[in-house]
């Protein structure tokens, strides 16, 4: 037998050939391959048994009891080393790859005799090779992963470093490569570059990552038995089951991911899927197989421009990176680097994973360094876009997502919005509800945490709120931009923006925590007056308003601002919305919401016999509340804004909530704008329509109403509009014989003849 075609079956390996490779025909390296596969299986099994304490069947389906002797193993490896110097010494490889070598590696065909450059060329273009050629090239790669000497260029570059830095490290088993990786900073430039090149080559197949393969052999068989090797499919499968993996396999997988998120070229799937975007979008000019400090910039670039990536495959890979970053700070390079010292100081005892460290940093935001706090903010903005990036919420809401949001596409915060819309459902779990409410509070702290609003209102923010906050200058906006948008709602051009601002307003009125400015102003008042009130459904707001005269000026001012917003839309009034659901459908079903139109419709139908008492009570309560402050009547506020500024500025500045602005407007009736006159007349008319003793706008007429209207009909005030009609008759002269003190009432008549 030609010595170059296989190992000597009668040499140091004779007993092992007899025991484990019986029936294997010598030649074409078949016996050497058999023994090498056996040895790899032995080492993998021994490692697994050491870790798990159980017998694990070898990958080659052999029953093994011990490895090759050192002499036999070295003889096998020397055969493979010699064969790797020239493609013609590896007959199966030469035959399988003749066409590919001539087509792609013709320039190096003859030089391959000296340094294995043809094999190196085939390795570099393996994705272009024919299947049989690719199979043979993989066998060479596997041998080189086991023993670095089989890779001629790697061995030549790293031989001296290995002798210096890894003395006593046993050859084989990928041990020399692992030793060199651990001391990468001490390596020569050539060795470092070649070692990295080998790492990049090995990313596609878990079998080429010797350490990972050994650590995860049992896990692969348990969770990924049907996953074919290659294209990083086995690694992806293990990653998807990372929470179920054994401790040692999980630790190794996390180490692999941590390296990969820093060096994108160690991720073959990302590298292939995003090749065009890496070069074009991220202006990467380097060699894919050369180690570079620019790797982290590329990963960050792909994430920053995720929405603009043209390749769906690339978007999916980048999505996975952000998902990993949101789950574990170690996989978020910018955050991990910026917050390293903060993490050691504040979260040293918090184990990584499940977003625990990120939550710890969020809970200690005020104690973070400036760079950590700013980077955390940027990542939180990024994570707001998708439920997949909200790990704690997604885990807590798995059942609710399946029940209520199953067919909702992820992205653009659609599933998050679905959960928000479903949180009042009967079967909505408490754990999920807590996470959703926490997200709402967070998104109310800065408009950039509210992905949908930030996206839809970009143009309007730049147009009407550009001077409120300057996020490009790293300024924390708090609730200032959100406040600006709500105050300038009528000026917003984008309908989508108005919808998002309206949704935010609903969050505000439901839970006081969601109005960050109000929450700050009212913190002490809530503690003092509403400590035991459960947030949600506007309960804390109702409590604060019950103590309106006792709460601080700042809190009272913020509650007034919120009340003005509520007055615009019935759905911003939780109690009224619930109480009047039937009446709204019956009497105002065709009325477009907004500008207080639905509320006006309900108010006009108060006297209808089918109007329910609960709804009537809520509407009348709101109408009576309007009498204290003219700003709570949206149509009046818009119509009379200029007149108030011109004629009643002093009364408005007092903010006494005793109807002084109304009195001023009536007093200056002749000088009012026609539109203001009309709305003032309507407001006063409605005050008499729902008359009750002591009401702010009508109390001057209480004595006359009691004497003229209630004397003979004491229950008249129970019928909406009855007292107003009675008084109108008196003022118009139909009952002139009745004694009526009409100083204020005649002023009303002068204010537009609204009683007629």
């Amino acid at each position: 037998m030609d010595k170059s075609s296989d190992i000597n079956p009668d040499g140091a390996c004779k007993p092992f050939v007899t025991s484990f490779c019986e029936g294997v025909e010598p030649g074409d390296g078949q016996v050497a391959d058999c023994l090498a596969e056996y040895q790899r299986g032995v080492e993998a099994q021994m490692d697994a048994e050491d870790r798990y304490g159980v017998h694990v069947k070898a990958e080659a389906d052999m029953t093994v009891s011990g490895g090759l002797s050192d002499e036999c193993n070295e003889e096998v490896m020397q055969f493979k080393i010699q064969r790797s110097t020239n493609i013609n010494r590896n007959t199966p490889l030469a035959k399988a790859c003749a066409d590919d070598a001539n087509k792609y590696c013709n320039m190096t065909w003859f030089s391959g005799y000296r340094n294995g450059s043809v094999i190196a060329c085939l390795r570099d273009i393996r994705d272009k090779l024919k299947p049989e050629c690719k199979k043979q090239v993989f066998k060479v790669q596997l041998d080189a992963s086991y023993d670095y000497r089989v890779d001629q260029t790697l061995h030549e570059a790293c031989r001296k470093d290995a002798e210096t830095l890894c003395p006593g490290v046993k050859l084989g088993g990928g041990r020399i490569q692992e030793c060199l990786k651990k001391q990468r900073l001490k390596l020569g430039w050539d060795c470092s570059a070649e070692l990295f090149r080998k790492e990049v080559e090995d990313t596609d197949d878990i079998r080429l990552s010797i350490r990972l393969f050994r650590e995860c052999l049992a896990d692969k068989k348990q969770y990924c038995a049907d996953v074919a090797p290659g294209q990083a499919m086995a690694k992806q499968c293990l990653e998807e089951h990372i929470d179920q993996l054994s401790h040692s396999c999980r630790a190794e997988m996390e180490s692999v991911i941590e390296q990969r998120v820093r060096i994108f070229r160690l991720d073959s799937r990302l590298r292939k899927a995003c090749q065009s975007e890496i070069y074009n979008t991220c202006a990467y000019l380097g060699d894919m197989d050369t180690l570079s400090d620019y790797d982290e910039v590329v990963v960050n670039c792909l994430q920053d421009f995720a929405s603009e990536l043209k390749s769906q495959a690339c978007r999916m890979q980048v999505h996975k990176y952000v998902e990993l970053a949101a789950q574990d700070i170690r996989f978020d390079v910018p955050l991990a680097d910026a917050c390293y010292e903060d993490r050691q100081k504040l979260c040293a005892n918090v184990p990584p994973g499940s977003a625990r460290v990120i939550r710890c940093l969020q809970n200690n935001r005020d104690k973070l360094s400036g760079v950590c706090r700013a980077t955390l903010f940027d990542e939180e903005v990024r994570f707001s876009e998708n439920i997949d990036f909200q790990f704690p919420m997604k885990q807590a809401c798995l059942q609710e997502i399946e029940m209520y949001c199953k067919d909702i596409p992820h992205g653009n915060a659609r599933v998050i919005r679905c959960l928000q819309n479903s949180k009042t459902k009967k079967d909505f779990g408490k754990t999920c509800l807590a996470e959703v409410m926490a997200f709402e509070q967070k998104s109310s702290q800065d408009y950039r945490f509210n992905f949908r609003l930030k996206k839809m209102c970009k143009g309007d923010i730049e147009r009407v709120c550009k001077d409120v906050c300057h996020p490009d200058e790293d300024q924390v906006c708090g609730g200032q931009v959100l406040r600006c948008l709500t105050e300038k709602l009528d000026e917003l051009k984008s309908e989508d923006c108005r919808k998002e601002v309206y949704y935010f307003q609903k969050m505000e009125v439901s839970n006081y925590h969601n109005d960050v400015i109000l929450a700050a102003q009212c913190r002490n008042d809530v503690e003092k007056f509403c400590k035991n009130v459960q947030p949600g459904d506007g309960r804390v707001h109702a409590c604060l308003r019950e103590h309106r005269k006792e709460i601080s000026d700042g809190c009272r001012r913020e509650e007034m601002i919120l009340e003005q917003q509520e007055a615009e839309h019935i759905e911003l009034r939780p109690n009224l919305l619930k109480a009047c659901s039937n009446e709204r459908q019956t009497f105002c079903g065709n009325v477009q919401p907004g500008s207080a139109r639905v509320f006006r419709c309900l108010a006009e139908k108060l006297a209808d016999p089918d109007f329910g008492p609960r709804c009537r009570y809520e509407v009348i309560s709101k109408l009576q509340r309007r009498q204290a402050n003219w700003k709570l009547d949206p149509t009046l506020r818009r119509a009379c804004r200029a007149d108030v500024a011109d004629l009643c500025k002093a009364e408005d500045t007092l903010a006494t909530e005793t109807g002084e602005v109304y009195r001023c407007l009536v007093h200056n009736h002749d000088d009012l704008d026609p539109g203001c006159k009309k709305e003032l007349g309507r407001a006063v008319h409605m005050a008499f329509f729902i008359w009750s003793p002591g009401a702010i706008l009508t109390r001057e007429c209480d004595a006359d109403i009691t004497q003229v209207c209630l004397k003979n009909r004491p229950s008249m005030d129970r019928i909406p509009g009855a007292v107003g009609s009675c008084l109108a008759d008196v003022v118009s002269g139909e009952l002139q014989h009745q004694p009526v003190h009409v100083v204020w009432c005649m002023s009303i008549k002068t204010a537009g003849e609204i009683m007629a």
Side-chain angles (χ1 to χ4, degrees):
M1 181 187 71
D2 184 356
K3 292 182 179 181
S4 66
S5 67
D6 214 332
I7 65 167
N8 181 5
D10 295 321
C13 293
K14 182 176 180 178
F16 302 100
V17 173
T18 302
S19 299
F20 304 113
C21 300
E22 186 179 4
V24 176
E25 187 70 24
D28 290 341
Q30 294 184 101
V31 175
D33 289 343
C34 171
L35 292 174
E37 187 176 8
Y38 165 73
Q39 180 65 13
R40 287 194 294 269
V42 168
E43 293 190 8
Q45 178 178 315
M46 292 174 65
D47 282 350
E49 290 179 349
D50 287 343
R51 290 180 177 86
Y52 311 128
V54 296
H55 177 79
V56 180
K57 198 173 184 182
E59 186 73 10
D61 291 332
M62 296 180 178
T63 302
V64 296
S65 56
L68 303 179
S69 65
D70 290 344
E71 294 80 3
C72 175
N73 192 49
E74 181 62 18
E75 186 174 319
V76 172
M77 293 317 302
Q78 283 298 329
F79 170 78
K80 290 182 175 292
I81 292 168
Q82 289 300 313
R83 196 164 63 162
S84 68
T85 61
N86 189 325
I87 189 172
N88 291 318
R89 291 186 176 182
N90 188 331
T91 304
L93 178 65
K95 290 179 179 179
C97 296
D99 292 341
D100 289 317
N102 279 318
K103 182 177 181 180
Y104 300 112
C105 307
N106 194 43
M107 292 177 62
T108 57
W109 181 261
F110 295 104
S111 61
Y113 177 80
R114 293 187 301 275
N115 57 18
S117 56
V118 173
I119 297 176
C121 170
L122 292 172
R123 222 170 39 217
D124 290 342
I125 49 93
R126 55 194 175 279
D127 290 338
K128 300 178 182 180
L129 303 178
K130 295 179 180 178
E132 187 56 36
C133 178
K134 185 182 290 188
K135 178 181 178 182
Q136 292 298 324
V137 170
F138 174 79
K139 292 175 68 174
V140 175
Q141 288 180 285
L142 187 59
D143 290 335
S145 296
Y146 182 78
D147 193 319
Y148 87 113
R149 296 174 297 172
V150 176
D151 188 318
Q152 292 294 308
T153 51
L154 178 63
H155 180 234
E156 182 178 344
C158 293
R159 179 174 55 82
K160 291 183 179 179
D161 285 314
E163 291 173 354
T164 302
L165 301 172
C166 306
V169 177
K170 187 177 180 181
L171 293 166
R175 287 179 282 268
I176 296 294
Q177 292 96 309
E178 288 298 321
C179 172
L180 293 173
K181 290 176 187 177
K182 291 177 181 178
Q183 305 184 76
R184 195 185 297 274
L185 294 177
K186 299 179 181 180
L187 301 180
W189 173 256
D190 290 342
C191 178
S192 179
E194 286 300 322
L195 185 64
F196 181 74
R197 185 264 308 163
K198 183 72 171 82
E199 288 181 87
V200 173
E201 287 181 359
D202 292 348
T203 58
D204 224 18
D205 197 305
I206 191 173
R207 294 170 295 179
L208 299 178
S209 303
I210 300 298
R211 181 179 177 85
L212 177 64
F213 182 68
R214 288 181 179 175
E215 298 284 2
C216 296
L217 178 60
D219 299 272
K220 179 182 180 299
K221 289 182 175 294
Q222 181 175 357
Y223 300 110
C224 311
D226 298 328
V227 178
Q231 299 183 345
M233 296 298 292
K235 290 183 182 178
Q236 179 177 326
C237 174
L238 290 171
E239 189 176 309
E240 291 171 354
H241 292 85
I242 196 165
D243 291 334
Q244 291 84 43
L245 300 180
S246 62
H247 177 75
S248 58
C249 176
R250 176 169 181 166
E252 189 62 27
M253 274 299 304
E254 289 175 342
S255 176
V256 168
I257 296 172
E258 194 170 357
Q259 285 183 310
R260 192 181 71 199
V261 297
R262 289 185 176 273
I263 308 174
F264 77 90
R265 285 163 298 164
L266 293 180
D267 186 342
S268 61
R269 295 172 66 83
L270 179 77
R271 204 171 64 236
K272 293 173 184 176
C274 299
Q275 183 171 353
S276 175
E277 285 80 1
I278 289 170
Y279 285 118
N280 298 325
T281 304
C282 301
Y284 178 73
L285 303 176
D287 185 341
M288 282 285 193
D289 296 327
T290 304
L291 187 61
S292 169
D293 294 334
Y294 195 66
D295 282 74
E296 295 178 11
V297 178
V298 170
V299 174
N300 293 340
C301 167
L302 290 173
Q303 294 180 8
D304 289 341
F305 292 94
S307 62
E308 301 177 26
L309 301 176
K310 296 181 180 180
S311 166
Q312 175 65 19
C314 181
R315 286 198 298 271
M316 291 175 61
Q317 292 301 316
V318 173
H319 177 96
K320 186 63 178 177
Y321 268 62
V322 182
E323 190 172 358
L324 288 168
Q327 183 176 349
D328 196 318
I329 191 173
R330 294 173 298 175
F331 308 149
D332 189 326
V333 176
L335 188 62
D337 290 348
C339 297
Y340 178 80
E341 294 183 0
D342 299 88
R343 180 184 173 190
Q344 298 303 314
K345 180 181 178 181
L346 301 169
C347 310
N349 298 321
V350 178
S354 299
R356 285 184 289 262
V357 175
I358 296 175
R359 277 283 172 95
C360 174
L361 294 174
Q362 291 171 330
N363 293 337
N364 290 278
R365 190 183 303 273
D366 294 341
K367 302 176 183 178
L368 300 179
S369 63
V371 65
C372 176
R373 186 164 54 248
T375 306
L376 176 63
F377 181 92
D378 290 342
E379 294 304 276
E380 289 172 310
V381 171
R382 191 196 310 276
F383 297 158
S384 67
E385 187 265 341
N386 198 307
I387 184 67
D388 295 337
F389 309 152
Q390 297 291 325
F391 182 81
M393 179 161 62
K394 184 178 180 181
Q395 292 300 112
C397 297
L398 289 174
Q399 182 176 342
E400 286 75 13
I401 292 173
E402 179 67 21
M403 290 173 62
Y404 305 116
C405 314
K406 183 178 181 180
D407 299 321
I408 304 295
H410 292 206
N412 288 316
R414 285 183 289 253
V415 173
I416 297 174
R417 177 58 55 84
C418 171
L419 291 172
Q420 290 177 285
N421 291 337
S422 305
K423 67 179 184 287
T424 58
K425 300 286 181 65
K426 180 180 179 181
D427 296 325
F428 206 89
K430 293 182 178 179
T431 305
C432 179
L433 177 62
E435 287 293 335
V436 173
M437 292 180 67
F439 177 86
E440 290 184 338
Q441 291 178 30
K442 179 64 179 299
S443 65
S444 302
Q445 293 173 5
D446 192 293
Y447 80 97
R448 288 165 288 182
F449 292 151
N450 188 329
F451 176 83
R452 295 175 66 87
L453 184 144
K454 176 172 72 78
K455 180 179 179 181
M456 300 303 181
C457 295
K458 181 179 180 181
D460 283 309
I461 290 172
E462 293 175 352
R463 189 172 54 82
V464 301
C465 304
K466 63 180 180 180
D467 296 325
V468 174
C469 181
H470 301 281
D472 294 339
E473 300 175 8
D474 294 329
Q475 182 178 347
V476 177
C477 297
Q480 297 174 70
V481 174
L482 292 168
R483 172 62 57 83
C484 171
L485 290 171
T486 56
E487 290 179 346
K488 298 185 178 182
L489 188 61
D490 292 340
E491 300 177 39
L492 303 181
K493 292 184 178 181
S494 168
E495 181 62 28
D496 288 332
C497 178
R498 283 195 291 271
K499 289 179 180 178
E500 289 303 323
V501 173
Y502 164 62
Y503 196 91
F504 166 70
Q505 289 178 309
K506 288 203 296 184
M507 289 166 48
E508 282 186 309
V509 299
S510 175
N511 191 328
Y512 85 101
H513 285 299
N514 294 335
D515 186 332
V516 62
I517 298 177
L518 182 148
Q521 289 290 341
C522 297
R523 184 176 292 112
N524 293 335
D525 298 286
V526 171
E527 181 68 20
K528 183 176 181 180
F529 300 110
C530 312
K531 185 176 181 179
N532 298 319
V533 177
Q534 181 69 27
D537 290 333
R539 287 184 288 266
V540 173
H541 291 306
C543 171
L544 290 171
R545 292 168 191 177
E546 288 174 4
H547 296 84
R548 183 177 284 106
K549 295 181 180 180
E550 303 163 81
I551 59 179
S552 63
D553 291 342
C555 182
R556 188 183 303 111
R557 182 175 58 253
E558 289 301 321
E559 278 293 342
M560 172 52 63
I561 292 173
L562 189 63
E563 273 194 283
Q564 291 177 39
Q565 295 175 14
E566 293 175 12
E568 293 281 354
H569 208 300
I570 187 174
E571 295 192 24
L572 297 180
R573 297 174 167 183
N575 292 337
L576 184 67
L577 185 64
K578 290 180 180 179
C580 297
S581 59
N582 292 333
E583 286 77 6
R584 180 185 180 185
Q585 182 66 31
T586 302
F587 301 111
C588 310
N590 297 323
V591 178
Q592 183 70 23
S595 298
R597 285 185 289 266
V598 175
F599 182 78
R600 176 180 286 195
C601 170
L602 291 172
E604 292 171 351
K605 301 294 183 181
L606 278 173
D608 193 287
D610 293 327
F611 210 93
R614 184 183 173 196
C615 179
R616 180 180 290 114
Y617 171 80
E618 287 293 335
V619 172
I620 291 176
S621 297
K622 299 297 182 186
L623 288 170
Q624 290 175 339
R625 170 68 185 137
R626 276 185 177 185
Q627 297 180 32
N629 194 313
W630 69 286
K631 294 178 181 178
L632 296 180
D633 187 330
T635 51
L636 177 75
R637 185 175 71 241
R638 280 189 278 270
C640 296
R641 184 182 289 117
D643 287 317
V644 170
D646 184 36
L647 302 170
C648 308
K649 186 175 182 179
E651 289 81 358
D652 189 37
T653 303
L654 290 174
T656 57
E657 295 204 347
T658 55
E660 294 304 319
V661 173
Y662 280 109
R663 285 177 168 78
C664 174
L665 290 173
V666 171
H667 179 73
N668 293 280
H669 178 268
D670 292 339
D671 298 322
L672 298 181
D673 177 85
C676 180
K677 286 183 180 180
K678 177 182 177 182
E679 289 303 324
L680 178 63
R682 176 192 55 79
V684 177
H685 167 73
M686 188 57 68
F688 280 100
F689 189 77
I690 59 159
W691 176 86
S692 65
I696 292 174
L697 289 187
T698 58
R699 61 191 175 203
E700 282 83 353
C701 295
D702 284 357
D704 300 295
I705 291 172
T706 301
Q707 183 177 355
V708 175
C709 298
L710 301 183
K711 183 177 181 180
N712 297 322
R713 294 177 59 190
S715 62
M716 179 185 291
D717 61 331
R718 299 178 186 176
I719 303 172
V723 170
S725 297
C726 171
L727 194 58
D729 291 340
V730 173
V731 173
S732 65
E734 292 182 14
L735 296 175
Q736 292 182 6
H737 60 281
Q738 298 288 352
V740 181
H741 303 290
V742 292
V743 177
W744 174 247
C745 301
M746 288 305 295
S747 296
I748 295 172
K749 184 177 186 298
T750 305
E753 298 293 334
I754 45 77
M755 292 298 174

